[in-house]
Amino acid sequence: MTRGPEQVALAVSTVIFALRPHPTTRRLALWIPLVRRIRAPHQGTWALPGGPLAADEGLAASAARNLRETTRLTPRYLEQLYAFGGLDRAPSAAERTVSVVYWALVRPEEADAGAAGVNVQWFVADELPELAFDHSLIVEYALWRLRNKVEYSRIAAAFLGESFTLAELRGVHEAVLQRTLDPANFRRQMEASGRLVATDAFRTG
C-alpha cells in the first residue's frame, strides 16, 4: 500500500511506572498499567495508554487527559520521553502514526487508586505479555532511561512522598536498578550528592 504525504497521524502514549511488591518474591519491583485494545489493529492485545492528539490540545495535556480517561491516574511527574515514528510501526494501519511518548512516575497509593479491570491491568515491567505495535520497544527504552537517570537525578523521590527515609530511598534504587546496594555506601553517596535535605522528623517501626 502506498501512503501519501498527508497520511500521517500524531498520537500520544505514556509509560507509567509504580513500585509494588513482586507477586512471587514480594520484593519491590517496577510495574506499569496496560490497556487492552478494543478495536483493530491488534484488537484484544495489551498496549500503552494513549490516543490521537486533538487539533486543539497540547502534547502534555493530551497525555494527562488520556491517563485520566483510561487509568484515572493524575501523576505529578510527567515528562516527555521520546518520539517513535518508524515506517513499520503499524504496517496494517491505513495511515502512518507518529507517537510522542511521555513517561510518568506514581507513588504506590496513587497506583492503588487508579483504574483496574478487564481492560486495564498492572503488569511487572520486566514480565510483560506481547504488546501491540512497537510498545514493547517503547517500554524497553523507558526502562533504560529510568535506570540510567535514577543514579544522577532526584527522579527516585517521585516514587515516594515529600519526606522519606534513606532506607526507603535505597529500596527505590534497588528496585529500579535490580541489584542490592550497600547501605553505608549508599548513605555516603546520597549525603555527598547534595540532593537531599535532612529533617528533624524520625520514623519508627
Side-chain angles (χ1 to χ4, degrees):
M1 180 177 65
T2 302
R3 294 171 174 167
E6 75 284 353
Q7 295 176 301
V8 178
L10 188 61
V12 178
S13 299
T14 306
V15 184
I16 310 161
F17 289 116
L19 287 176
R20 289 175 151 185
H22 189 280
T24 303
T25 66
R26 306 312 298 171
R27 294 174 62 89
L28 280 182
L30 288 167
W31 292 65
I32 66 172
L34 297 175
V35 178
R36 194 192 306 271
R37 288 185 56 80
I38 59 174
R39 61 178 63 88
H42 300 285
Q43 183 175 357
T45 305
W46 293 102
L48 293 169
L53 177 69
D56 60 347
E57 195 171 37
L59 290 171
S62 177
R65 176 184 56 78
N66 274 305
L67 289 184
R68 288 194 306 271
E69 293 176 352
T70 58
T71 67
R72 296 205 305 267
L73 293 170
T74 54
R76 299 180 184 181
Y77 186 97
L78 183 65
E79 179 185 354
Q80 191 174 130
L81 176 67
Y82 199 69
F84 291 80
L87 295 175
D88 58 347
R89 293 193 72 233
S92 61
E95 59 187 2
R96 177 186 176 188
T97 300
V98 175
S99 283
V100 178
V101 179
Y102 281 75
W103 63 339
L105 310 180
V106 296
R107 300 195 297 271
E109 62 271 20
E110 293 175 305
D112 292 341
V118 175
N119 292 323
V120 180
Q121 290 185 26
W122 286 84
F123 294 84
V124 178
D126 290 293
E127 303 172 8
L128 298 180
E130 180 182 354
L131 302 185
F133 308 112
D134 57 353
H135 290 190
S136 293
L137 176 64
I138 293 174
V139 173
E140 182 180 336
Y141 180 76
L143 283 167
W144 177 80
R145 280 285 301 274
L146 176 62
R147 285 167 175 156
N148 278 273
K149 195 169 183 177
V150 74
E151 296 193 90
Y152 65 83
S153 74
R154 301 181 183 181
I155 195 172
F159 287 111
L160 302 167
E162 292 297 323
S163 61
F164 45 84
T165 67
L166 276 172
E168 290 171 335
L169 184 62
R170 176 166 51 85
V172 172
H173 281 253
E174 289 179 338
V176 171
L177 298 173
Q178 295 185 307
R179 67 173 186 265
T180 302
L181 302 175
D182 179 74
N185 286 339
F186 182 79
R187 173 181 286 273
R188 284 193 292 268
Q189 291 171 359
M190 290 297 103
E191 290 176 344
S193 70
R195 298 197 298 264
L196 303 180
V197 178
T199 71
D200 295 327
F202 288 87
R203 187 174 302 171
T204 60

mmCIF file of all heavy atoms in Angstrom, residues 42-63:
data_model
loop_
_atom_site.group_PDB
_atom_site.id
_atom_site.type_symbol
_atom_site.label_atom_id
_atom_site.label_comp_id
_atom_site.label_asym_id
_atom_site.label_seq_id
_atom_site.Cartn_x
_atom_site.Cartn_y
_atom_site.Cartn_z
ATOM 1 N N HIS A 42 -4.674 -5.011 16.139
ATOM 2 C CA HIS A 42 -4.242 -5.593 17.422
ATOM 3 C C HIS A 42 -5.374 -5.635 18.447
ATOM 4 O O HIS A 42 -5.149 -5.464 19.643
ATOM 5 C CB HIS A 42 -3.056 -4.817 18.001
ATOM 6 C CG HIS A 42 -1.838 -4.793 17.134
ATOM 7 N ND1 HIS A 42 -1.007 -5.876 16.990
ATOM 8 C CD2 HIS A 42 -1.322 -3.808 16.344
ATOM 9 C CE1 HIS A 42 -0.011 -5.563 16.169
ATOM 10 N NE2 HIS A 42 -0.191 -4.327 15.753
ATOM 11 N N GLN A 43 -6.591 -5.866 17.993
ATOM 12 C CA GLN A 43 -7.713 -5.948 18.921
ATOM 13 C C GLN A 43 -7.475 -7.066 19.941
ATOM 14 O O GLN A 43 -7.081 -8.180 19.591
ATOM 15 C CB GLN A 43 -9.011 -6.213 18.164
ATOM 16 C CG GLN A 43 -10.247 -6.232 19.045
ATOM 17 C CD GLN A 43 -11.526 -6.366 18.245
ATOM 18 O OE1 GLN A 43 -11.491 -6.390 17.021
ATOM 19 N NE2 GLN A 43 -12.649 -6.438 18.924
ATOM 20 N N GLY A 44 -7.717 -6.771 21.213
ATOM 21 C CA GLY A 44 -7.533 -7.741 22.283
ATOM 22 C C GLY A 44 -6.127 -7.799 22.841
ATOM 23 O O GLY A 44 -5.883 -8.486 23.835
ATOM 24 N N THR A 45 -5.175 -7.082 22.214
ATOM 25 C CA THR A 45 -3.781 -7.075 22.667
ATOM 26 C C THR A 45 -3.554 -5.924 23.638
ATOM 27 O O THR A 45 -4.172 -4.868 23.519
ATOM 28 C CB THR A 45 -2.835 -6.941 21.454
ATOM 29 O OG1 THR A 45 -3.130 -7.978 20.519
ATOM 30 C CG2 THR A 45 -1.383 -7.058 21.877
ATOM 31 N N TRP A 46 -2.664 -6.125 24.588
ATOM 32 C CA TRP A 46 -2.347 -5.078 25.558
ATOM 33 C C TRP A 46 -1.481 -4.005 24.916
ATOM 34 O O TRP A 46 -0.633 -4.288 24.063
ATOM 35 C CB TRP A 46 -1.637 -5.671 26.766
ATOM 36 C CG TRP A 46 -2.505 -6.582 27.573
ATOM 37 C CD1 TRP A 46 -2.493 -7.957 27.573
ATOM 38 C CD2 TRP A 46 -3.546 -6.197 28.481
ATOM 39 N NE1 TRP A 46 -3.458 -8.441 28.422
ATOM 40 C CE2 TRP A 46 -4.119 -7.393 28.999
ATOM 41 C CE3 TRP A 46 -4.045 -4.965 28.907
ATOM 42 C CZ2 TRP A 46 -5.154 -7.378 29.926
ATOM 43 C CZ3 TRP A 46 -5.080 -4.952 29.830
ATOM 44 C CH2 TRP A 46 -5.624 -6.145 30.325
ATOM 45 N N ALA A 47 -1.688 -2.754 25.351
ATOM 46 C CA ALA A 47 -0.956 -1.612 24.790
ATOM 47 C C ALA A 47 -0.771 -0.561 25.876
ATOM 48 O O ALA A 47 -1.403 -0.606 26.943
ATOM 49 C CB ALA A 47 -1.715 -1.018 23.604
ATOM 50 N N LEU A 48 0.069 0.397 25.592
ATOM 51 C CA LEU A 48 0.263 1.523 26.497
ATOM 52 C C LEU A 48 -0.949 2.462 26.418
ATOM 53 O O LEU A 48 -1.563 2.587 25.363
ATOM 54 C CB LEU A 48 1.531 2.297 26.123
ATOM 55 C CG LEU A 48 2.848 1.556 26.324
ATOM 56 C CD1 LEU A 48 3.988 2.323 25.662
ATOM 57 C CD2 LEU A 48 3.132 1.343 27.807
ATOM 58 N N PRO A 49 -1.276 3.135 27.521
ATOM 59 C CA PRO A 49 -2.355 4.125 27.464
ATOM 60 C C PRO A 49 -1.992 5.238 26.489
ATOM 61 O O PRO A 49 -0.848 5.692 26.440
ATOM 62 C CB PRO A 49 -2.422 4.659 28.898
ATOM 63 C CG PRO A 49 -1.739 3.643 29.743
ATOM 64 C CD PRO A 49 -0.697 3.019 28.867
ATOM 65 N N GLY A 50 -2.959 5.667 25.716
ATOM 66 C CA GLY A 50 -2.699 6.743 24.767
ATOM 67 C C GLY A 50 -3.839 6.904 23.792
ATOM 68 O O GLY A 50 -4.875 6.249 23.892
ATOM 69 N N GLY A 51 -3.616 7.784 22.835
ATOM 70 C CA GLY A 51 -4.629 8.039 21.831
ATOM 71 C C GLY A 51 -4.194 9.143 20.897
ATOM 72 O O GLY A 51 -3.111 9.729 21.052
ATOM 73 N N PRO A 52 -5.026 9.464 19.916
ATOM 74 C CA PRO A 52 -4.672 10.503 18.941
ATOM 75 C C PRO A 52 -4.615 11.881 19.583
ATOM 76 O O PRO A 52 -5.323 12.165 20.560
ATOM 77 C CB PRO A 52 -5.802 10.418 17.908
ATOM 78 C CG PRO A 52 -6.943 9.787 18.639
ATOM 79 C CD PRO A 52 -6.338 8.843 19.627
ATOM 80 N N LEU A 53 -3.785 12.729 19.041
ATOM 81 C CA LEU A 53 -3.660 14.108 19.511
ATOM 82 C C LEU A 53 -4.748 14.960 18.874
ATOM 83 O O LEU A 53 -4.872 15.010 17.645
ATOM 84 C CB LEU A 53 -2.278 14.664 19.156
ATOM 85 C CG LEU A 53 -2.019 16.119 19.528
ATOM 86 C CD1 LEU A 53 -1.937 16.281 21.046
ATOM 87 C CD2 LEU A 53 -0.740 16.620 18.868
ATOM 88 N N ALA A 54 -5.524 15.640 19.709
ATOM 89 C CA ALA A 54 -6.559 16.533 19.195
ATOM 90 C C ALA A 54 -5.917 17.798 18.631
ATOM 91 O O ALA A 54 -4.853 18.232 19.084
ATOM 92 C CB ALA A 54 -7.547 16.895 20.303
ATOM 93 N N ALA A 55 -6.568 18.404 17.648
ATOM 94 C CA ALA A 55 -6.011 19.572 16.974
ATOM 95 C C ALA A 55 -5.869 20.767 17.912
ATOM 96 O O ALA A 55 -5.004 21.622 17.704
ATOM 97 C CB ALA A 55 -6.885 19.948 15.774
ATOM 98 N N ASP A 56 -6.706 20.833 18.945
ATOM 99 C CA ASP A 56 -6.682 21.988 19.853
ATOM 100 C C ASP A 56 -6.058 21.646 21.204
ATOM 101 O O ASP A 56 -6.331 22.305 22.201
ATOM 102 C CB ASP A 56 -8.100 22.510 20.068
ATOM 103 C CG ASP A 56 -9.024 21.445 20.672
ATOM 104 O OD1 ASP A 56 -8.623 20.255 20.690
ATOM 105 O OD2 ASP A 56 -10.128 21.804 21.106
ATOM 106 N N GLU A 57 -5.201 20.624 21.252
ATOM 107 C CA GLU A 57 -4.676 20.143 22.525
ATOM 108 C C GLU A 57 -3.155 20.063 22.487
ATOM 109 O O GLU A 57 -2.566 19.625 21.493
ATOM 110 C CB GLU A 57 -5.263 18.753 22.809
ATOM 111 C CG GLU A 57 -5.100 18.274 24.228
ATOM 112 C CD GLU A 57 -5.897 16.993 24.442
ATOM 113 O OE1 GLU A 57 -5.965 16.157 23.523
ATOM 114 O OE2 GLU A 57 -6.463 16.829 25.544
ATOM 115 N N GLY A 58 -2.504 20.479 23.570
ATOM 116 C CA GLY A 58 -1.057 20.358 23.678
ATOM 117 C C GLY A 58 -0.653 18.922 23.949
ATOM 118 O O GLY A 58 -1.469 18.095 24.369
ATOM 119 N N LEU A 59 0.623 18.621 23.733
ATOM 120 C CA LEU A 59 1.097 17.252 23.899
ATOM 121 C C LEU A 59 0.957 16.784 25.341
ATOM 122 O O LEU A 59 0.415 15.710 25.613
ATOM 123 C CB LEU A 59 2.563 17.161 23.457
ATOM 124 C CG LEU A 59 2.819 17.308 21.954
ATOM 125 C CD1 LEU A 59 4.313 17.432 21.686
ATOM 126 C CD2 LEU A 59 2.248 16.123 21.203
ATOM 127 N N ALA A 60 1.467 17.581 26.292
ATOM 128 C CA ALA A 60 1.393 17.192 27.699
ATOM 129 C C ALA A 60 -0.053 17.103 28.167
ATOM 130 O O ALA A 60 -0.419 16.197 28.931
ATOM 131 C CB ALA A 60 2.177 18.174 28.562
ATOM 132 N N ALA A 61 -0.897 18.025 27.708
ATOM 133 C CA ALA A 61 -2.310 17.999 28.082
ATOM 134 C C ALA A 61 -2.988 16.746 27.534
ATOM 135 O O ALA A 61 -3.837 16.141 28.209
ATOM 136 C CB ALA A 61 -3.012 19.244 27.559
ATOM 137 N N SER A 62 -2.622 16.333 26.336
ATOM 138 C CA SER A 62 -3.192 15.126 25.751
ATOM 139 C C SER A 62 -2.774 13.897 26.543
ATOM 140 O O SER A 62 -3.597 13.004 26.810
ATOM 141 C CB SER A 62 -2.740 14.985 24.293
ATOM 142 O OG SER A 62 -3.224 13.783 23.724
ATOM 143 N N ALA A 63 -1.491 13.830 26.929
ATOM 144 C CA ALA A 63 -1.007 12.698 27.721
ATOM 145 C C ALA A 63 -1.745 12.619 29.049
ATOM 146 O O ALA A 63 -2.189 11.543 29.471
ATOM 147 C CB ALA A 63 0.500 12.824 27.951
#
